[in-house]
Amino acid sequence: MKKKVAVIGSGFASLAAACYLARDGYRVDIFEKNANIGGRARQLKKDGFCFDIGPTWYWMPDVFERFFADFSKKPSDYYELEKLSPAYKVFFGKNDSITIEDSLDKICAAFEAEEPGSSIKLKQFIEEAKNNYDIAIKDLVYRPGVSPLELITPTTAGKIGQFFSTISKEVRKEFTNQKLIQILEFPVLFLGAKASQTPAFYSFMNYADFGLGTWHPKGGMYKVIEAMENLANSLGVKINTNAAVSEIFVENNTATGMQVNGEKIEADYILSGADYHHTETLLPEYKRQYKESYWQKKTFAPSALLFFAGFNKKLENVTHHTLFFDTDFEKHAKAIYDDAEWPENPLFYASFPSVTDDAAAPEGKEAGIFLIPLAPDVEDTPEIREKYFQKIISRFESLTNQNVTDHLLFKESFCVKDFKEDYNSYKGNAYGLANTLLQTAFLRPKLKSKKVHKLFFTGQLSVPGPGVPPSLISGKLAAGLIQKEN
């Protein structure tokens, strides 16, 4: 008889794990508390507009290819990918921007135009970043974080200094132009920490950016969720929505099942892709691995204030991905990581998927997603949300030389309270646990519970870390640990 695995949540990590387990002969049931699957990667549809609520960047296409190849499939079996050209645009002030194109040669030309001689340094920097990428993404991140020995290989031995230096230090050794420095430090924001706290080894994110490029699945990132759902269904996975888990049952130090909508569901194994901290609150307190003080001391990736806006015209001077670095980054970072307060003049990101994807908005209209990174657990009220929308939209209009306020059809917002309510997210964080030196690999919360047998975890608070590609990998790693139990 097939052994049963009950999976909590239906985000990227949960779906990935479910697919691997079903492929290897387990009976897999997913339990999702919300009405739709996808976890943070859900969609908002309104008046003919379609928005990705969560991730909007498709980086590291090779990780997606490797995932589907494990099932003798390709991404193209499920969705159409387009390499964005340009990848993104960065505003530093009025009539002051740099466009990052779709090849390293073009990016080098943009750097050279900004600072003569910088292109030579950039090529050297990206060559080192590619070397780190080959070590990390093709090998290290596929290790389950069980032992520090996983990080010790002949190749990593030569990189030891990069674990004790930082991205910020390495970039500033080579570059003096502040705009170029900000562009090179931008990719590590996906890892959830300041460049000054992120090990230099993580420069592999710069190769993901400049070397592999930025892609877009036609129809949005949710197409990847739908692809994984399709794959899971074909493997026999049963997906239950509106299925909230309220308790995990433990007998003789072993997980035996869980309470779902008041009903007891028995299982041979439980795998949670839900928020790690929340999952442990479903256990008796003495069976939790990590005390509240543990979580409070951790460096969490930011939360975010998001707006999903529909405009009745096509906008000017924007690209699919657009960054607004026209204010002091250090002050904003201090508000997030040091002071835990709302930033006075926030940097922000905007995505206009309808620039390249007709499915995102009705003809002649524009879909806009605006994101302000925030400290977790800041006060969240409708008044504060509106205040910050006005802050960024006025700057947006000035920087892009256009009026958009008069063309706004609607806007919906999503912030700290929603992350807590919809995802049981610890302090309302958006991206998980930051990848600082002391929160890397085996120093992250474990995939396998140390106190409860047959209880496992996956996702952005565990190994290997935040982001969509790492979540796919996390699902594979967690499934592999369950398979080792037999």
Side-chain angles (χ1 to χ4, degrees), residues 390-411:
Q390 296 305 325
K391 275 180 183 267
I392 63 171
I393 209 67
S394 62
R395 279 169 48 203
F396 176 82
E397 290 182 321
S398 173
L399 293 166
T400 61
N401 295 303
Q402 64 187 314
N403 173 289
V404 300
T405 305
D406 294 341
H407 299 275
L408 181 65
L409 295 171
F410 64 85
K411 71 175 187 295

mmCIF file with all atom_site columns, all heavy atoms in Angstrom, residues 390-411:
data_model
loop_
_atom_site.group_PDB
_atom_site.id
_atom_site.type_symbol
_atom_site.label_atom_id
_atom_site.label_alt_id
_atom_site.label_comp_id
_atom_site.label_asym_id
_atom_site.label_entity_id
_atom_site.label_seq_id
_atom_site.pdbx_PDB_ins_code
_atom_site.Cartn_x
_atom_site.Cartn_y
_atom_site.Cartn_z
_atom_site.occupancy
_atom_site.B_iso_or_equiv
_atom_site.pdbx_formal_charge
_atom_site.auth_seq_id
_atom_site.auth_comp_id
_atom_site.auth_asym_id
_atom_site.auth_atom_id
_atom_site.pdbx_PDB_model_num
ATOM 1   N N   . GLN A 1 390 ? 0.319   57.929 -2.865  1.00 0.00 ? 390 GLN A N   1
ATOM 2   C CA  . GLN A 1 390 ? 0.456   59.302 -3.352  1.00 0.00 ? 390 GLN A CA  1
ATOM 3   C C   . GLN A 1 390 ? 1.926   59.706 -3.442  1.00 0.00 ? 390 GLN A C   1
ATOM 4   O O   . GLN A 1 390 ? 2.330   60.412 -4.385  1.00 0.00 ? 390 GLN A O   1
ATOM 5   C CB  . GLN A 1 390 ? -0.320  60.265 -2.459  1.00 0.00 ? 390 GLN A CB  1
ATOM 6   C CG  . GLN A 1 390 ? -1.829  60.051 -2.455  1.00 0.00 ? 390 GLN A CG  1
ATOM 7   C CD  . GLN A 1 390 ? -2.438  60.099 -3.853  1.00 0.00 ? 390 GLN A CD  1
ATOM 8   O OE1 . GLN A 1 390 ? -1.993  60.858 -4.719  1.00 0.00 ? 390 GLN A OE1 1
ATOM 9   N NE2 . GLN A 1 390 ? -3.455  59.261 -4.073  1.00 0.00 ? 390 GLN A NE2 1
ATOM 10  N N   . LYS A 1 391 ? 2.733   59.254 -2.473  1.00 0.00 ? 391 LYS A N   1
ATOM 11  C CA  . LYS A 1 391 ? 4.167   59.563 -2.500  1.00 0.00 ? 391 LYS A CA  1
ATOM 12  C C   . LYS A 1 391 ? 4.821   59.038 -3.776  1.00 0.00 ? 391 LYS A C   1
ATOM 13  O O   . LYS A 1 391 ? 5.543   59.760 -4.468  1.00 0.00 ? 391 LYS A O   1
ATOM 14  C CB  . LYS A 1 391 ? 4.872   58.925 -1.293  1.00 0.00 ? 391 LYS A CB  1
ATOM 15  C CG  . LYS A 1 391 ? 4.851   59.721 -0.002  1.00 0.00 ? 391 LYS A CG  1
ATOM 16  C CD  . LYS A 1 391 ? 5.590   58.926 1.087   1.00 0.00 ? 391 LYS A CD  1
ATOM 17  C CE  . LYS A 1 391 ? 5.546   59.647 2.434   1.00 0.00 ? 391 LYS A CE  1
ATOM 18  N NZ  . LYS A 1 391 ? 6.710   60.499 2.668   1.00 0.00 ? 391 LYS A NZ  1
ATOM 19  N N   . ILE A 1 392 ? 4.567   57.745 -4.057  1.00 0.00 ? 392 ILE A N   1
ATOM 20  C CA  . ILE A 1 392 ? 5.293   57.158 -5.189  1.00 0.00 ? 392 ILE A CA  1
ATOM 21  C C   . ILE A 1 392 ? 4.682   57.548 -6.529  1.00 0.00 ? 392 ILE A C   1
ATOM 22  O O   . ILE A 1 392 ? 5.403   57.704 -7.510  1.00 0.00 ? 392 ILE A O   1
ATOM 23  C CB  . ILE A 1 392 ? 5.403   55.622 -5.062  1.00 0.00 ? 392 ILE A CB  1
ATOM 24  C CG1 . ILE A 1 392 ? 4.033   54.949 -5.100  1.00 0.00 ? 392 ILE A CG1 1
ATOM 25  C CG2 . ILE A 1 392 ? 6.179   55.243 -3.819  1.00 0.00 ? 392 ILE A CG2 1
ATOM 26  C CD1 . ILE A 1 392 ? 4.112   53.424 -5.186  1.00 0.00 ? 392 ILE A CD1 1
ATOM 27  N N   . ILE A 1 393 ? 3.376   57.748 -6.593  1.00 0.00 ? 393 ILE A N   1
ATOM 28  C CA  . ILE A 1 393 ? 2.770   58.052 -7.884  1.00 0.00 ? 393 ILE A CA  1
ATOM 29  C C   . ILE A 1 393 ? 3.142   59.458 -8.338  1.00 0.00 ? 393 ILE A C   1
ATOM 30  O O   . ILE A 1 393 ? 3.310   59.725 -9.537  1.00 0.00 ? 393 ILE A O   1
ATOM 31  C CB  . ILE A 1 393 ? 1.233   57.837 -7.867  1.00 0.00 ? 393 ILE A CB  1
ATOM 32  C CG1 . ILE A 1 393 ? 0.725   57.449 -9.266  1.00 0.00 ? 393 ILE A CG1 1
ATOM 33  C CG2 . ILE A 1 393 ? 0.495   59.049 -7.345  1.00 0.00 ? 393 ILE A CG2 1
ATOM 34  C CD1 . ILE A 1 393 ? 1.193   56.101 -9.746  1.00 0.00 ? 393 ILE A CD1 1
ATOM 35  N N   . SER A 1 394 ? 3.304   60.384 -7.392  1.00 0.00 ? 394 SER A N   1
ATOM 36  C CA  . SER A 1 394 ? 3.727   61.744 -7.770  1.00 0.00 ? 394 SER A CA  1
ATOM 37  C C   . SER A 1 394 ? 5.161   61.724 -8.287  1.00 0.00 ? 394 SER A C   1
ATOM 38  O O   . SER A 1 394 ? 5.486   62.408 -9.270  1.00 0.00 ? 394 SER A O   1
ATOM 39  C CB  . SER A 1 394 ? 3.590   62.703 -6.586  1.00 0.00 ? 394 SER A CB  1
ATOM 40  O OG  . SER A 1 394 ? 4.416   62.307 -5.511  1.00 0.00 ? 394 SER A OG  1
ATOM 41  N N   . ARG A 1 395 ? 6.027   60.937 -7.643  1.00 0.00 ? 395 ARG A N   1
ATOM 42  C CA  . ARG A 1 395 ? 7.399   60.808 -8.144  1.00 0.00 ? 395 ARG A CA  1
ATOM 43  C C   . ARG A 1 395 ? 7.418   60.089 -9.486  1.00 0.00 ? 395 ARG A C   1
ATOM 44  O O   . ARG A 1 395 ? 8.170   60.459 -10.394 1.00 0.00 ? 395 ARG A O   1
ATOM 45  C CB  . ARG A 1 395 ? 8.252   60.038 -7.127  1.00 0.00 ? 395 ARG A CB  1
ATOM 46  C CG  . ARG A 1 395 ? 8.748   60.911 -5.981  1.00 0.00 ? 395 ARG A CG  1
ATOM 47  C CD  . ARG A 1 395 ? 9.342   60.105 -4.860  1.00 0.00 ? 395 ARG A CD  1
ATOM 48  N NE  . ARG A 1 395 ? 10.291  59.097 -5.291  1.00 0.00 ? 395 ARG A NE  1
ATOM 49  C CZ  . ARG A 1 395 ? 10.595  58.013 -4.581  1.00 0.00 ? 395 ARG A CZ  1
ATOM 50  N NH1 . ARG A 1 395 ? 10.005  57.797 -3.403  1.00 0.00 ? 395 ARG A NH1 1
ATOM 51  N NH2 . ARG A 1 395 ? 11.471  57.141 -5.029  1.00 0.00 ? 395 ARG A NH2 1
ATOM 52  N N   . PHE A 1 396 ? 6.592   59.080 -9.617  1.00 0.00 ? 396 PHE A N   1
ATOM 53  C CA  . PHE A 1 396 ? 6.509   58.341 -10.876 1.00 0.00 ? 396 PHE A CA  1
ATOM 54  C C   . PHE A 1 396 ? 6.135   59.279 -12.020 1.00 0.00 ? 396 PHE A C   1
ATOM 55  O O   . PHE A 1 396 ? 6.748   59.243 -13.096 1.00 0.00 ? 396 PHE A O   1
ATOM 56  C CB  . PHE A 1 396 ? 5.479   57.217 -10.750 1.00 0.00 ? 396 PHE A CB  1
ATOM 57  C CG  . PHE A 1 396 ? 5.237   56.457 -12.028 1.00 0.00 ? 396 PHE A CG  1
ATOM 58  C CD1 . PHE A 1 396 ? 6.092   55.436 -12.417 1.00 0.00 ? 396 PHE A CD1 1
ATOM 59  C CD2 . PHE A 1 396 ? 4.171   56.772 -12.857 1.00 0.00 ? 396 PHE A CD2 1
ATOM 60  C CE1 . PHE A 1 396 ? 5.885   54.727 -13.596 1.00 0.00 ? 396 PHE A CE1 1
ATOM 61  C CE2 . PHE A 1 396 ? 3.953   56.081 -14.040 1.00 0.00 ? 396 PHE A CE2 1
ATOM 62  C CZ  . PHE A 1 396 ? 4.814   55.058 -14.410 1.00 0.00 ? 396 PHE A CZ  1
ATOM 63  N N   . GLU A 1 397 ? 5.157   60.115 -11.788 1.00 0.00 ? 397 GLU A N   1
ATOM 64  C CA  . GLU A 1 397 ? 4.719   61.055 -12.831 1.00 0.00 ? 397 GLU A CA  1
ATOM 65  C C   . GLU A 1 397 ? 5.833   62.016 -13.202 1.00 0.00 ? 397 GLU A C   1
ATOM 66  O O   . GLU A 1 397 ? 6.058   62.311 -14.382 1.00 0.00 ? 397 GLU A O   1
ATOM 67  C CB  . GLU A 1 397 ? 3.488   61.830 -12.351 1.00 0.00 ? 397 GLU A CB  1
ATOM 68  C CG  . GLU A 1 397 ? 2.243   60.958 -12.263 1.00 0.00 ? 397 GLU A CG  1
ATOM 69  C CD  . GLU A 1 397 ? 1.013   61.742 -11.838 1.00 0.00 ? 397 GLU A CD  1
ATOM 70  O OE1 . GLU A 1 397 ? 1.127   62.629 -10.962 1.00 0.00 ? 397 GLU A OE1 1
ATOM 71  O OE2 . GLU A 1 397 ? -0.074  61.479 -12.388 1.00 0.00 ? 397 GLU A OE2 1
ATOM 72  N N   . SER A 1 398 ? 6.557   62.506 -12.195 1.00 0.00 ? 398 SER A N   1
ATOM 73  C CA  . SER A 1 398 ? 7.645   63.447 -12.457 1.00 0.00 ? 398 SER A CA  1
ATOM 74  C C   . SER A 1 398 ? 8.799   62.790 -13.211 1.00 0.00 ? 398 SER A C   1
ATOM 75  O O   . SER A 1 398 ? 9.304   63.327 -14.198 1.00 0.00 ? 398 SER A O   1
ATOM 76  C CB  . SER A 1 398 ? 8.152   64.021 -11.131 1.00 0.00 ? 398 SER A CB  1
ATOM 77  O OG  . SER A 1 398 ? 9.297   64.818 -11.324 1.00 0.00 ? 398 SER A OG  1
ATOM 78  N N   . LEU A 1 399 ? 9.180   61.599 -12.770 1.00 0.00 ? 399 LEU A N   1
ATOM 79  C CA  . LEU A 1 399 ? 10.331  60.919 -13.367 1.00 0.00 ? 399 LEU A CA  1
ATOM 80  C C   . LEU A 1 399 ? 10.063  60.431 -14.783 1.00 0.00 ? 399 LEU A C   1
ATOM 81  O O   . LEU A 1 399 ? 10.973  60.390 -15.614 1.00 0.00 ? 399 LEU A O   1
ATOM 82  C CB  . LEU A 1 399 ? 10.757  59.746 -12.486 1.00 0.00 ? 399 LEU A CB  1
ATOM 83  C CG  . LEU A 1 399 ? 11.344  60.125 -11.114 1.00 0.00 ? 399 LEU A CG  1
ATOM 84  C CD1 . LEU A 1 399 ? 11.415  58.908 -10.207 1.00 0.00 ? 399 LEU A CD1 1
ATOM 85  C CD2 . LEU A 1 399 ? 12.721  60.753 -11.272 1.00 0.00 ? 399 LEU A CD2 1
ATOM 86  N N   . THR A 1 400 ? 8.817   60.059 -15.056 1.00 0.00 ? 400 THR A N   1
ATOM 87  C CA  . THR A 1 400 ? 8.495   59.544 -16.397 1.00 0.00 ? 400 THR A CA  1
ATOM 88  C C   . THR A 1 400 ? 7.827   60.594 -17.284 1.00 0.00 ? 400 THR A C   1
ATOM 89  O O   . THR A 1 400 ? 7.430   60.291 -18.406 1.00 0.00 ? 400 THR A O   1
ATOM 90  C CB  . THR A 1 400 ? 7.585   58.297 -16.298 1.00 0.00 ? 400 THR A CB  1
ATOM 91  O OG1 . THR A 1 400 ? 6.357   58.661 -15.654 1.00 0.00 ? 400 THR A OG1 1
ATOM 92  C CG2 . THR A 1 400 ? 8.267   57.184 -15.517 1.00 0.00 ? 400 THR A CG2 1
ATOM 93  N N   . ASN A 1 401 ? 7.706   61.811 -16.774 1.00 0.00 ? 401 ASN A N   1
ATOM 94  C CA  . ASN A 1 401 ? 7.176   62.948 -17.549 1.00 0.00 ? 401 ASN A CA  1
ATOM 95  C C   . ASN A 1 401 ? 5.781   62.691 -18.117 1.00 0.00 ? 401 ASN A C   1
ATOM 96  O O   . ASN A 1 401 ? 5.544   62.828 -19.310 1.00 0.00 ? 401 ASN A O   1
ATOM 97  C CB  . ASN A 1 401 ? 8.139   63.306 -18.694 1.00 0.00 ? 401 ASN A CB  1
ATOM 98  C CG  . ASN A 1 401 ? 9.475   63.810 -18.195 1.00 0.00 ? 401 ASN A CG  1
ATOM 99  O OD1 . ASN A 1 401 ? 9.538   64.783 -17.445 1.00 0.00 ? 401 ASN A OD1 1
ATOM 100 N ND2 . ASN A 1 401 ? 10.542  63.128 -18.579 1.00 0.00 ? 401 ASN A ND2 1
ATOM 101 N N   . GLN A 1 402 ? 4.845   62.315 -17.237 1.00 0.00 ? 402 GLN A N   1
ATOM 102 C CA  . GLN A 1 402 ? 3.476   62.078 -17.699 1.00 0.00 ? 402 GLN A CA  1
ATOM 103 C C   . GLN A 1 402 ? 2.496   62.139 -16.534 1.00 0.00 ? 402 GLN A C   1
ATOM 104 O O   . GLN A 1 402 ? 2.878   61.955 -15.378 1.00 0.00 ? 402 GLN A O   1
ATOM 105 C CB  . GLN A 1 402 ? 3.371   60.709 -18.373 1.00 0.00 ? 402 GLN A CB  1
ATOM 106 C CG  . GLN A 1 402 ? 3.640   59.547 -17.440 1.00 0.00 ? 402 GLN A CG  1
ATOM 107 C CD  . GLN A 1 402 ? 3.694   58.204 -18.134 1.00 0.00 ? 402 GLN A CD  1
ATOM 108 O OE1 . GLN A 1 402 ? 2.840   57.877 -18.951 1.00 0.00 ? 402 GLN A OE1 1
ATOM 109 N NE2 . GLN A 1 402 ? 4.726   57.419 -17.827 1.00 0.00 ? 402 GLN A NE2 1
ATOM 110 N N   . ASN A 1 403 ? 1.258   62.391 -16.864 1.00 0.00 ? 403 ASN A N   1
ATOM 111 C CA  . ASN A 1 403 ? 0.183   62.323 -15.871 1.00 0.00 ? 403 ASN A CA  1
ATOM 112 C C   . ASN A 1 403 ? -0.466  60.947 -15.968 1.00 0.00 ? 403 ASN A C   1
ATOM 113 O O   . ASN A 1 403 ? -0.850  60.511 -17.041 1.00 0.00 ? 403 ASN A O   1
ATOM 114 C CB  . ASN A 1 403 ? -0.864  63.411 -16.147 1.00 0.00 ? 403 ASN A CB  1
ATOM 115 C CG  . ASN A 1 403 ? -2.078  63.278 -15.241 1.00 0.00 ? 403 ASN A CG  1
ATOM 116 O OD1 . ASN A 1 403 ? -2.877  62.356 -15.388 1.00 0.00 ? 403 ASN A OD1 1
ATOM 117 N ND2 . ASN A 1 403 ? -2.228  64.200 -14.324 1.00 0.00 ? 403 ASN A ND2 1
ATOM 118 N N   . VAL A 1 404 ? -0.523  60.258 -14.826 1.00 0.00 ? 404 VAL A N   1
ATOM 119 C CA  . VAL A 1 404 ? -1.201  58.962 -14.823 1.00 0.00 ? 404 VAL A CA  1
ATOM 120 C C   . VAL A 1 404 ? -2.375  58.944 -13.855 1.00 0.00 ? 404 VAL A C   1
ATOM 121 O O   . VAL A 1 404 ? -3.279  58.124 -13.987 1.00 0.00 ? 404 VAL A O   1
ATOM 122 C CB  . VAL A 1 404 ? -0.230  57.803 -14.485 1.00 0.00 ? 404 VAL A CB  1
ATOM 123 C CG1 . VAL A 1 404 ? 0.896   57.728 -15.503 1.00 0.00 ? 404 VAL A CG1 1
ATOM 124 C CG2 . VAL A 1 404 ? 0.320   57.933 -13.080 1.00 0.00 ? 404 VAL A CG2 1
ATOM 125 N N   . THR A 1 405 ? -2.357  59.854 -12.880 1.00 0.00 ? 405 THR A N   1
ATOM 126 C CA  . THR A 1 405 ? -3.413  59.887 -11.863 1.00 0.00 ? 405 THR A CA  1
ATOM 127 C C   . THR A 1 405 ? -4.798  60.013 -12.494 1.00 0.00 ? 405 THR A C   1
ATOM 128 O O   . THR A 1 405 ? -5.744  59.342 -12.071 1.00 0.00 ? 405 THR A O   1
ATOM 129 C CB  . THR A 1 405 ? -3.174  61.044 -10.881 1.00 0.00 ? 405 THR A CB  1
ATOM 130 O OG1 . THR A 1 405 ? -1.870  60.920 -10.319 1.00 0.00 ? 405 THR A OG1 1
ATOM 131 C CG2 . THR A 1 405 ? -4.197  61.016 -9.763  1.00 0.00 ? 405 THR A CG2 1
ATOM 132 N N   . ASP A 1 406 ? -4.897  60.859 -13.519 1.00 0.00 ? 406 ASP A N   1
ATOM 133 C CA  . ASP A 1 406 ? -6.190  61.080 -14.169 1.00 0.00 ? 406 ASP A CA  1
ATOM 134 C C   . ASP A 1 406 ? -6.629  59.894 -15.027 1.00 0.00 ? 406 ASP A C   1
ATOM 135 O O   . ASP A 1 406 ? -7.757  59.871 -15.527 1.00 0.00 ? 406 ASP A O   1
ATOM 136 C CB  . ASP A 1 406 ? -6.140  62.336 -15.044 1.00 0.00 ? 406 ASP A CB  1
ATOM 137 C CG  . ASP A 1 406 ? -5.949  63.614 -14.225 1.00 0.00 ? 406 ASP A CG  1
ATOM 138 O OD1 . ASP A 1 406 ? -6.219  63.564 -13.008 1.00 0.00 ? 406 ASP A OD1 1
ATOM 139 O OD2 . ASP A 1 406 ? -5.508  64.626 -14.795 1.00 0.00 ? 406 ASP A OD2 1
ATOM 140 N N   . HIS A 1 407 ? -5.721  58.944 -15.204 1.00 0.00 ? 407 HIS A N   1
ATOM 141 C CA  . HIS A 1 407 ? -6.030  57.784 -16.057 1.00 0.00 ? 407 HIS A CA  1
ATOM 142 C C   . HIS A 1 407 ? -6.125  56.489 -15.253 1.00 0.00 ? 407 HIS A C   1
ATOM 143 O O   . HIS A 1 407 ? -6.179  55.399 -15.827 1.00 0.00 ? 407 HIS A O   1
ATOM 144 C CB  . HIS A 1 407 ? -4.961  57.654 -17.152 1.00 0.00 ? 407 HIS A CB  1
ATOM 145 C CG  . HIS A 1 407 ? -4.898  58.842 -18.056 1.00 0.00 ? 407 HIS A CG  1
ATOM 146 N ND1 . HIS A 1 407 ? -5.723  58.979 -19.149 1.00 0.00 ? 407 HIS A ND1 1
ATOM 147 C CD2 . HIS A 1 407 ? -4.129  59.969 -17.995 1.00 0.00 ? 407 HIS A CD2 1
ATOM 148 C CE1 . HIS A 1 407 ? -5.454  60.134 -19.747 1.00 0.00 ? 407 HIS A CE1 1
ATOM 149 N NE2 . HIS A 1 407 ? -4.506  60.754 -19.072 1.00 0.00 ? 407 HIS A NE2 1
ATOM 150 N N   . LEU A 1 408 ? -6.152  56.637 -13.926 1.00 0.00 ? 408 LEU A N   1
ATOM 151 C CA  . LEU A 1 408 ? -6.245  55.468 -13.047 1.00 0.00 ? 408 LEU A CA  1
ATOM 152 C C   . LEU A 1 408 ? -7.686  54.971 -12.983 1.00 0.00 ? 408 LEU A C   1
ATOM 153 O O   . LEU A 1 408 ? -8.584  55.689 -12.556 1.00 0.00 ? 408 LEU A O   1
ATOM 154 C CB  . LEU A 1 408 ? -5.749  55.841 -11.645 1.00 0.00 ? 408 LEU A CB  1
ATOM 155 C CG  . LEU A 1 408 ? -5.757  54.737 -10.586 1.00 0.00 ? 408 LEU A CG  1
ATOM 156 C CD1 . LEU A 1 408 ? -4.781  53.630 -10.944 1.00 0.00 ? 408 LEU A CD1 1
ATOM 157 C CD2 . LEU A 1 408 ? -5.410  55.327 -9.215  1.00 0.00 ? 408 LEU A CD2 1
ATOM 158 N N   . LEU A 1 409 ? -7.891  53.742 -13.408 1.00 0.00 ? 409 LEU A N   1
ATOM 159 C CA  . LEU A 1 409 ? -9.226  53.147 -13.363 1.00 0.00 ? 409 LEU A CA  1
ATOM 160 C C   . LEU A 1 409 ? -9.529  52.574 -11.978 1.00 0.00 ? 409 LEU A C   1
ATOM 161 O O   . LEU A 1 409 ? -10.648 52.681 -11.478 1.00 0.00 ? 409 LEU A O   1
ATOM 162 C CB  . LEU A 1 409 ? -9.339  52.037 -14.415 1.00 0.00 ? 409 LEU A CB  1
ATOM 163 C CG  . LEU A 1 409 ? -9.234  52.469 -15.882 1.00 0.00 ? 409 LEU A CG  1
ATOM 164 C CD1 . LEU A 1 409 ? -9.151  51.245 -16.784 1.00 0.00 ? 409 LEU A CD1 1
ATOM 165 C CD2 . LEU A 1 409 ? -10.413 53.349 -16.262 1.00 0.00 ? 409 LEU A CD2 1
ATOM 166 N N   . PHE A 1 410 ? -8.555  51.946 -11.386 1.00 0.00 ? 410 PHE A N   1
ATOM 167 C CA  . PHE A 1 410 ? -8.722  51.361 -10.048 1.00 0.00 ? 410 PHE A CA  1
ATOM 168 C C   . PHE A 1 410 ? -7.350  51.021 -9.488  1.00 0.00 ? 410 PHE A C   1
ATOM 169 O O   . PHE A 1 410 ? -6.356  50.971 -10.231 1.00 0.00 ? 410 PHE A O   1
ATOM 170 C CB  . PHE A 1 410 ? -9.573  50.085 -10.095 1.00 0.00 ? 410 PHE A CB  1
ATOM 171 C CG  . PHE A 1 410 ? -8.930  48.959 -10.879 1.00 0.00 ? 410 PHE A CG  1
ATOM 172 C CD1 . PHE A 1 410 ? -8.011  48.094 -10.279 1.00 0.00 ? 410 PHE A CD1 1
ATOM 173 C CD2 . PHE A 1 410 ? -9.232  48.751 -12.228 1.00 0.00 ? 410 PHE A CD2 1
ATOM 174 C CE1 . PHE A 1 410 ? -7.411  47.061 -10.988 1.00 0.00 ? 410 PHE A CE1 1
ATOM 175 C CE2 . PHE A 1 410 ? -8.634  47.723 -12.947 1.00 0.00 ? 410 PHE A CE2 1
ATOM 176 C CZ  . PHE A 1 410 ? -7.724  46.870 -12.318 1.00 0.00 ? 410 PHE A CZ  1
ATOM 177 N N   . LYS A 1 411 ? -7.291  50.770 -8.196  1.00 0.00 ? 411 LYS A N   1
ATOM 178 C CA  . LYS A 1 411 ? -6.087  50.208 -7.588  1.00 0.00 ? 411 LYS A CA  1
ATOM 179 C C   . LYS A 1 411 ? -6.501  49.342 -6.405  1.00 0.00 ? 411 LYS A C   1
ATOM 180 O O   . LYS A 1 411 ? -7.453  49.655 -5.690  1.00 0.00 ? 411 LYS A O   1
ATOM 181 C CB  . LYS A 1 411 ? -5.109  51.297 -7.142  1.00 0.00 ? 411 LYS A CB  1
ATOM 182 C CG  . LYS A 1 411 ? -5.531  52.122 -5.943  1.00 0.00 ? 411 LYS A CG  1
ATOM 183 C CD  . LYS A 1 411 ? -4.426  53.081 -5.536  1.00 0.00 ? 411 LYS A CD  1
ATOM 184 C CE  . LYS A 1 411 ? -4.723  53.819 -4.232  1.00 0.00 ? 411 LYS A CE  1
ATOM 185 N NZ  . LYS A 1 411 ? -5.870  54.724 -4.326  1.00 0.00 ? 411 LYS A NZ  1
#
